[in-house]
Amino acid sequence: MASASKVTGTRRSVAVGFLLPALVLLGALVVYPIGYSVHRSFFDSSGDSFAGLDNYVELFTDDTILTAVKNNAIWVVLAPTVATALGLIFAVLTERVRWGTAFKLIVFMPMAISMLAAGIIFRLVYEQDPDRGVANAVWVGVHDTFAESSVFPRARPLPVHPLEAAGGGAYVTESPVRTGEIARLPLIGVAPAQMPKDARPALEPTAQDGRITGTAWLDFTRGGGGKPNVVDAKELGLKGLRVEAVKDGKVVASTTVAADGTFSLPAAADGSLLRLPASNFREQYNGVEWLGPSLVTPAVIGSYVWMWAGFAMVLIAAGLASVPRELLEAARVDGANEWQVFRRITVPLLAPVLAVVLVTLMINVLKVFDLVFIIAPGSAQDDANVLALQLYRSSFGTDADLGIGSAIAVLLLLLVIPVMAFNIRRMRREARR
């Protein structure tokens, strides 16, 4: 008995000897920082005066920190759910396509990119200028497919031109036009790069009996020269400009200017004013302000989903590979369609894997920092603020308050603990099965 006790004691001392370095590291890198943060959260910014719960009260009274708490709630609900749902869809669909492995590789590839690099990529993707930002380039392309865009934004007449403002951004001729006369509609303010590529040098039309003919042109000669209200040789026609004949407040005729600037109206336009409607001059559609105050948080969440949907897909695909195929086939034989098989058999069997993915992503988004810091511009960073970013802002810099920063760190710890407890309980329950 004595020898057995001696051997057991020796084994325990050996085990403690092996565990001691890990326990020291755990205490130095985890336990001590947690304990110090809790202690520091009860003191003021200097650390000299005891502040009690004042720092925690400020967490729920300061507007900036409340915005961070609200955004964190949005992150925790939205980002893991969307990433897990997309991962599930990709995992199920890639089982049925020929190039499923290649597709999985492409979807998983963003996981190899650091958060910093992904933030820089999506900062460019969300650029407001459609010529630089991919998101707005696509959005503007779709918009212009279904909605007519303006022809000449910012075009306007000179004071000496025979046109005057009609309100609402439109212009009309100063006097009515008559059949057999030539109407001249000169404009300026159109950059050469904005002129239609197929615009040709403007021509002076010939007068026609029973019709109103005219020319609408850019009354500007590159390099100087030229006279106002006169069609000069180097001046281009305003192709696509819409011209309306208005009489007694009603449009009686309308036409579109040709490539050489000429246009023609029927006799019904006799005695009417020619109007250039405001639709000719409104600003071109530049897309959505993705990084504005209202959309910056969903935009950053979109970049996160782009990175982590591949992670969810790989884990779910591994779980899907272990699903008994005979259960799926039996359901199909019994008359279940594919949606019923997916909803009533595949998803319930994948529930443990889905829970792992969901919990992992929830813990991950609670500490998201890099993407928000990089993608959100300075003007919208307060609107995109999250607790991890606020922790950084409160703990470093010229106006740092380590008391507030420590309180935020403790709050994040308290938010993580329930998720971790749920995960541990789930793992123990799975182990007992």
Side-chain angles (χ1 to χ4, degrees), residues 17 24 58 60 100 109 151 206 217 230 316:
V24 171
E58 187 165 351
F60 299 98
M109 197 175 296
V151 184
T206 56
W217 79 100
V230 175
I316 295 170

Side-chain angles (χ1 to χ4, degrees), residues 11 47 67 73 111 127 172 180 184 241 261 299 331 366 371 387 428:
R11 288 178 177 175
T67 300
M111 283 294 298
E127 273 279 352
V172 297
R184 295 176 178 83
L241 189 75
L366 280 172
L371 289 176
L387 285 173
R428 288 177 176 175

Side-chain angles (χ1 to χ4, degrees), residues 71 75 78-79 115 118-119 122-123 126 290-292 294-308 365 368-377 380-381 383-386 389:
N71 286 339
W75 270 89
L78 197 60
M115 286 280 198
F122 274 86
R123 182 67 183 267
Y126 291 133
W290 298 104
L291 300 182
S294 58
L295 289 178
V296 63
T297 294
V300 181
I301 290 176
S303 66
Y304 178 90
V305 171
W306 175 77
M307 289 190 67
W308 287 87
V365 298
V368 69
F369 164 80
D370 319 58
L371 289 176
V372 181
F373 185 73
I374 298 298
I375 296 176
Q381 203 162 85
D383 300 285
N385 199 14
V386 290
L389 177 59

Side-chain angles (χ1 to χ4, degrees), residues 51-405:
L53 296 176
D54 290 350
N55 292 326
Y56 291 96
V57 171
E58 187 165 351
L59 295 186
F60 299 98
T61 55
D62 184 84
D63 290 339
T64 302
I65 302 178
L66 279 176
T67 300
V69 173
K70 180 189 72 174
N71 286 339
N72 255 102
I74 296 172
W75 270 89
V76 168
V77 172
L78 197 60
T81 305
V82 175
T84 304
L86 284 177
L88 175 61
I89 293 170
F90 291 155
V92 172
L93 293 182
T94 49
E95 278 203 331
R96 299 174 174 273
V97 297
R98 184 176 181 183
W99 301 100
T101 304
F103 180 80
K104 288 180 181 178
L105 178 64
I106 293 172
V107 175
F108 187 75
M109 197 175 296
M111 283 294 298
I113 303 174
S114 68
M115 286 280 198
L116 176 64
I120 294 172
I121 290 170
F122 274 86
R123 182 67 183 267
L124 296 174
V125 167
Y126 291 133
E127 273 279 352
Q128 181 69 34
D129 186 356
D131 293 330
R132 298 179 60 188
V134 175
N136 266 342
V138 174
W139 193 269
V140 170
V142 173
H143 174 274
D144 289 348
T145 301
F146 297 100
E148 185 180 358
S149 60
S150 60
V151 184
F152 301 105
R154 300 183 184 179
R156 63 191 185 280
L158 282 172
V160 296
H161 284 166
L163 293 167
E164 61 184 8
Y171 298 99
V172 297
T173 53
E174 295 176 346
S175 57
V177 294
R178 298 291 179 181
T179 55
E181 296 180 353
I182 296 175
R184 295 176 178 83
L185 306 177
L187 294 173
I188 62 167
V190 183
Q194 292 179 318
M195 290 293 291
K197 295 181 179 179
D198 53 350
R200 299 203 301 266
L203 297 176
E204 185 83 18
T206 56
Q208 300 179 18
D209 293 336
R211 296 191 69 84
I212 297 172
T213 56
T215 303
W217 79 100
L218 180 62
D219 197 10
F220 172 79
T221 302
R222 298 183 66 177
K227 297 179 181 180
N229 299 331
V230 175
V231 179
D232 296 302
K234 296 182 180 180
E235 295 173 349
L236 299 176
L238 297 173
K239 182 189 176 183
L241 189 75
R242 185 168 181 79
V243 181
E244 297 176 342
V246 180
K247 187 185 296 184
D248 298 327
K250 296 181 180 179
V251 177
V252 296
S254 63
T255 187
T256 302
V257 174
D260 58 5
T262 58
F263 64 89
S264 177
L265 291 167
D270 183 51
S272 63
L273 294 174
L274 298 188
R275 180 174 68 185
L276 304 179
S279 59
N280 290 314
F281 311 115
R282 65 173 179 264
E283 290 290 334
Q284 288 182 332
Y285 182 68
N286 285 321
V288 177
E289 192 179 3
W290 298 104
L291 300 182
S294 58
L295 289 178
V296 63
T297 294
V300 181
I301 290 176
S303 66
Y304 178 90
V305 171
W306 175 77
M307 289 190 67
W308 287 87
F311 166 81
M313 177 196 67
V314 169
L315 291 188
I316 295 170
L320 192 61
S322 64
V323 172
R325 300 297 164 180
E326 56 270 18
L327 294 178
L328 305 180
E329 294 302 325
R332 294 188 181 101
V333 170
D334 289 341
N337 57 37
E338 291 302 319
W339 168 247
Q340 291 172 325
V341 171
F342 173 76
R343 184 167 60 91
R344 296 181 179 274
I345 298 178
T346 304
V347 173
L349 290 175
L350 288 175
V353 179
L354 295 176
V356 170
V357 174
L358 202 59
V359 170
T360 303
L361 293 181
M362 287 175 69
I363 296 172
N364 186 267
V365 298
L366 280 172
K367 59 181 182 177
V368 69
F369 164 80
D370 319 58
L371 289 176
V372 181
F373 185 73
I374 298 298
I375 296 176
S379 59
Q381 203 162 85
D382 283 345
D383 300 285
N385 199 14
V386 290
L387 285 173
L389 177 59
Q390 186 60 39
L391 171 61
Y392 168 80
R393 295 166 69 177
S394 297
S395 302
F396 302 97
T398 55
D399 57 346
D401 187 334
L402 291 180
I404 296 294

